[in-house]
Amino acid sequence: MALLELNKVKKIYQQGKIKVPALRGVDLEIEEGEFATIFGPSGSGKTTLLNMIGCLDTPTEGEIRLNDKKVSDLSKKALAMIRRYNIGFVFQSYNLIPVLTAYENVEFAIRLTDHTSESQMKEKVLKMLAEVGLKGLESRRPNELSGGEKQRVAIARALVKEPKLILADEPTANLDSETAAGVVDIMRKMNKELNTTFIFSTHDPMVMKYANRYINLKDGMITADERRG
Amino acid sequence: MFSFKLGLKNLTRQKRRNALIILVIAFAFFGYLFMGSVMDGMEEMSFDNIKNYDTGNIQVAHPEYWEDRDKLPLENLIYLNQDMEESIKNMDGVLGVSPELRFKANLNNGIDEIAVMGLGISIEQYNEVFATKNYVVEGSMFAPGESKAVIGVSLAELMDLKVNDYITLLVRTKEDTFNTIDVEIAGLLRAPNPMINNGIVFVPLDIAQQALNVGNGVSLLALKTVSGDEDTIAKALTGSFKNKDMDLKAYSWKESAETIIALSTAKKSGAAVIMSVVLLIGMLGIINNVILSALERTEEIGMMKALGMREWEIVFVFMVEATGIGVLGGLAGCLIGYAGVSWLVKYGWGLGYIGGDGSEYGIPILDRIYGTWNYSAFSFIFILGVVVALLSSILPAYWAAKKDPVKAIYHR
């Protein structure tokens, strides 16, 4: 059974009197543990597709199933609960809370889902930060971290609640190539170690090469879908 | 709990803007507490000055006289007899009785003339009821049997008079014929009630009665009673007059102070309106702050929604932040207010700043208003401030929390 299924998903945005189709009938299945990249030119619908998968937006037509549960017609409240327990996000601009330390930014995510003891929670957060290579930087605030370190905090924040699926929208776009490689390395490592499914969008061929599945999107339609390795 | 922590931590963002709103709230609170202390102090002093230097605790008069008392008529006077005086003196709670004859007069110093109120008093009885004698700054009060007068220092300065100078009071008798009272000034007064200093000439009662041809008539009887029981004693006195078929009525000092009470109430309402405006400014500051914060943190709100935070959880974060501003503003305001009220209670607020004594504004206070402590005002304003801050944040916080997550994340 696929972790994620999209059947004829369409998304049409209304801009004034004009209807702008962003997705034109996408069919897609993602298995658990995949490390998939969605690539394509700007405006091809990558972000819209990730938003649909991430339950941040609902399709105009078609059906989305996550863990065999239809999520495309759920209420906003129900979608928030799906995101809370099942999906992690990594954003291009990190979106860390500047007044919280690296530790607290990660703690923030786990507090929403995990109701275990303080000590267990602390252990989990510290372990996750260590996993992404931020041991010793826990008490730093985002303005005291480099771009790569910030993105690692964002990855730790997405992973700490142990979601089935992590979506990353251009996670390396703001990073230099060396740092970008480091960040993708970590994502790949976590994918292998925790069997967490990663779907990320990118323009960068160097980053793309880490993926084991390539989904090419053009004008809101999948034009190629290839598995490698 | 984490949302609470995040809300508190958010207080450290936009320090200048938050500090400005905290200052606005603090000064609004300070203004409220300071003005409240001034108003309460003014009221308390005004009432004390009315009781101690003008009306006593209770005044007994003919109801017809009472109606016209501002015109200082010589009609409807009380004709004293020993029985009447004794029965009033023996009432429970009555500590002293002072008969007064109030009349219109023109004070003449030989060159100029000015309209004043003449006050015929029986000095020993007057001293039992009023504390005026403690404020003689030059000379002394006249002794029983002396043909002397006492006037206020302001009146003396105005008419260029000194102790031992002679003055003439031009009066009209009950029959409307002219007469004069020629007396020597025994002393000058500077009492806390400016009305006494500016326009009253005290003369012995028997001299006034003789000059006005009113026999042993007096305008009213001023009574000193146990403080706080005025209404009960006045009621009992009126009842006893009725039983004895006497056309007299007892009036609590509050009835003489109606104008001051109305003025005080009007001033308090005015202060409340000003205060509401200042609180409204604070409220708008908080609403503005939440909206600006939400606009600045749009991507962050998007991230929170992506993490699965519910709308009320995001609202809670903003509410904690806004309430924190209210608490800090309230604490700062109460602290500044405490300092201001302490100063006011100790040193008072000189009326010289507003160009004169209180009588010019209808307040019976001479030169300085001392504040009073009203601790409940501190807790009231603090709680009100926090509640206003909390309530003001709800709508803008909901507006922020309702943002579409996609639009928020990508700042569209």
Side-chain angles (χ1 to χ4, degrees):
Chain A
M1 185 185 68
L3 171 71
L4 180 76
E5 281 176 69
L6 278 79
N7 298 314
K8 297 183 175 51
V9 169
K10 287 185 182 175
K11 182 69 184 178
I12 299 163
Y13 290 111
Q14 191 80 37
Q15 286 185 346
K17 287 180 182 172
I18 304 163
K19 286 183 174 176
V20 182
L23 296 177
R24 300 164 185 262
V26 172
D27 290 308
L28 181 68
E29 278 191 13
I30 302 280
E31 301 295 332
E32 205 171 330
E34 280 195 290
F35 196 72
T37 178
I38 298 171
F39 66 100
S42 289
S44 59
K46 299 187 295 293
T47 299
T48 305
L49 181 56
L50 282 178
N51 290 339
M52 297 293 149
I53 295 170
C55 298
L56 287 168
D57 205 352
T58 47
T60 314
E61 271 181 47
E63 185 185 270
I64 301 171
R65 299 183 83 84
L66 183 68
N67 266 338
D68 206 30
K69 187 182 176 186
K70 192 176 172 186
V71 294
S72 43
D73 52 6
L74 290 178
S75 67
K76 282 183 179 178
K77 203 174 162 184
L79 287 174
M81 286 302 104
I82 298 275
R83 293 196 298 269
R84 191 172 185 132
Y85 291 99
N86 300 291
I87 305 168
F89 290 89
V90 178
F91 303 102
Q92 180 182 333
S93 52
Y94 328 122
N95 287 14
L96 300 178
I97 299 175
V99 286
L100 300 181
T101 61
Y103 176 88
E104 287 166 337
N105 265 288
V106 179
E107 185 193 10
F108 178 43
I110 201 170
R111 288 269 178 191
L112 292 172
T113 55
D114 203 325
H115 304 293
T116 51
S117 70
E118 282 291 317
S119 57
Q120 279 176 310
M121 210 176 285
K122 189 173 179 184
E123 196 181 323
K124 249 182 182 177
V125 174
L126 290 174
K127 190 179 164 205
M128 193 49 68
L129 282 166
E131 291 277 2
V132 297
L134 292 175
K135 197 173 179 183
L137 303 180
E138 296 90 350
S139 58
R140 290 204 186 171
R141 287 194 175 190
N143 63 345
E144 297 163 332
L145 297 170
S146 69
E149 287 166 342
K150 281 182 204 169
Q151 200 58 298
R152 286 170 194 222
V153 175
I155 293 167
R157 180 179 66 189
L159 280 165
V160 75
K161 61 183 182 184
E162 296 168 12
K164 297 261 182 222
L165 176 65
I166 287 187
L167 301 169
D169 189 12
E170 311 241 12
T172 57
N174 287 351
L175 306 174
D176 62 71
S177 54
E178 198 181 330
T179 314
V183 165
V184 182
D185 256 344
I186 293 216
M187 285 165 55
R188 187 72 175 119
K189 181 183 147 208
M190 304 319 285
N191 162 251
K192 280 180 180 163
E193 282 178 10
L194 305 171
N195 200 34
T196 309
T197 309
F198 275 79
I199 305 174
F200 61 98
S201 67
T202 187
H203 280 106
D204 187 346
M206 191 279 294
V207 172
M208 250 185 274
K209 72 179 183 197
Y210 286 85
N212 58 20
R213 187 170 174 188
Y214 299 82
I215 301 157
N216 190 6
L217 207 61
K218 196 176 174 188
D219 296 331
M221 290 169 71
I222 294 174
T223 53
D225 185 357
E226 192 185 333
R227 285 187 169 88
R228 284 183 210 163
Chain B
M1 204 54 204
F2 194 85
S3 301
F4 186 77
K5 182 179 168 184
L6 178 59
L8 288 184
K9 286 212 167 199
N10 278 339
L11 277 172
T12 59
R13 293 174 165 193
Q14 301 299 337
K15 290 190 187 79
R16 276 188 207 169
R17 194 169 68 212
N18 287 346
L20 190 70
I21 296 165
I22 288 169
L23 271 178
V24 168
I25 295 172
F27 276 101
F29 283 23
F30 165 74
Y32 176 84
L33 295 169
F34 192 82
M35 287 304 289
S37 180
V38 170
M39 293 291 170
D40 290 346
M42 191 169 78
E43 191 179 83
E44 200 177 296
M45 287 177 74
S46 298
F47 293 165
D48 280 349
N49 287 346
I50 288 171
K51 279 188 277 183
N52 295 335
Y53 308 101
D54 187 7
T55 65
N57 297 80
I58 290 173
Q59 287 177 307
V60 173
H62 274 292
E64 291 83 3
Y65 176 86
W66 188 259
E67 288 298 310
D68 293 335
R69 67 189 188 281
D70 291 338
K71 296 177 194 159
L72 305 175
L74 295 175
E75 304 295 330
N76 301 309
L77 300 179
I78 303 171
Y79 291 93
L80 287 172
N81 59 57
Q82 212 167 353
D83 272 0
M84 184 197 290
E85 276 197 77
E86 286 303 315
S87 69
I88 294 173
K89 262 186 191 168
N90 293 335
M91 281 289 293
D92 277 350
V94 175
L95 306 172
V97 181
S98 171
E100 289 182 1
L101 181 59
R102 299 180 170 208
F103 56 95
K104 286 183 222 167
N106 276 8
L107 169 65
N108 191 304
N109 61 359
I111 303 165
D112 294 313
E113 203 168 276
I114 188 170
V116 293
M117 181 176 96
L119 187 59
I121 54 167
S122 168
I123 192 68
E124 283 169 324
Q125 286 173 285
Y126 181 82
N127 287 343
E128 280 175 15
V129 176
F130 297 103
T132 314
K133 68 171 190 292
N134 301 331
Y135 295 91
V136 176
V137 288
E138 219 181 313
S140 62
M141 290 298 276
F142 46 79
E146 279 185 336
S147 274
K148 290 189 175 177
V150 172
I151 63 171
V153 281
S154 306
L155 186 59
E157 275 168 25
L158 185 69
M159 297 299 285
D160 199 18
L161 292 167
K162 301 185 296 295
V163 173
N164 300 329
D165 282 354
Y166 280 86
I167 54 170
T168 301
L169 287 175
L170 186 64
V171 297
R172 275 176 189 264
T173 65
K174 196 178 172 188
E175 293 77 25
D176 218 19
T177 56
F178 284 104
N179 202 354
T180 58
I181 301 173
D182 293 302
V183 277
E184 185 188 347
I185 296 175
L188 300 180
L189 281 168
R190 190 177 158 76
N193 187 336
M195 314 310 181
I196 287 182
N197 301 329
N198 297 340
I200 296 180
V201 177
F202 293 85
V203 291
L205 179 61
D206 53 344
I207 291 176
Q209 284 171 329
Q210 204 179 351
L212 296 163
N213 200 22
V214 293
N216 69 341
V218 294
S219 311
L220 50 85
L221 301 171
L223 273 57
K224 187 181 174 80
T225 66
V226 174
S227 211
D229 280 347
E230 290 93 344
D231 291 333
T232 322
I233 299 170
K235 215 170 168 183
L237 272 168
T238 304
S240 105
F241 296 143
K242 210 171 179 180
N243 291 341
K244 290 176 185 166
D245 227 10
M246 292 160 76
D247 190 17
L248 292 176
K249 206 174 163 191
Y251 302 89
S252 152
W253 64 271
K254 288 172 201 159
E255 291 178 66
S256 302
E258 268 174 348
T259 323
I260 302 294
I261 292 170
L263 191 71
S264 181
T265 312
K267 279 179 180 162
K268 278 186 178 171
S269 311
V273 169
I274 295 168
M275 204 47 236
S276 310
V277 171
V278 182
L279 272 179
L280 188 72
I281 293 169
M283 198 169 115
L284 289 175
I286 284 176
I287 293 174
N288 182 49
N289 193 44
V290 175
I291 291 173
L292 285 176
S293 300
L295 288 172
E296 284 159 4
R297 298 176 207 162
T298 304
E299 288 178 22
E300 209 174 293
I301 293 168
M303 178 275 292
M304 287 175 176
K305 296 199 93 167
L307 284 181
M309 271 182 96
R310 282 165 288 195
E311 279 175 8
W312 70 265
E313 288 171 316
I314 298 171
V315 168
F316 183 74
V317 173
F318 280 100
M319 277 169 68
V320 169
E321 188 178 342
T323 309
I325 290 174
V327 168
L328 291 175
L331 284 176
C334 285
L335 268 176
I336 310 171
Y338 182 83
V341 172
S342 299
W343 174 82
L344 198 62
V345 168
K346 195 169 180 187
Y347 301 106
W349 187 27
L351 292 177
Y353 294 118
I354 54 170
D357 67 44
S359 60
E360 290 171 33
Y361 305 92
I363 311 162
I365 296 173
L366 187 59
D367 57 356
R368 199 158 275 274
I369 296 174
Y370 288 90
T372 52
W373 282 108
N374 181 359
Y375 295 105
S376 60
F378 280 79
S379 27
F380 165 74
I381 193 69
F382 180 74
I383 293 167
L384 180 74
V386 173
V387 170
V388 164
L390 181 90
L391 295 180
S392 320
S393 67
I394 295 176
L395 274 180
Y398 252 108
W399 167 79
K402 280 189 94 68
K403 280 178 186 286
D404 180 85
V406 174
K407 286 181 181 166
I409 292 165
Y410 299 101
H411 219 104
R412 287 175 187 161

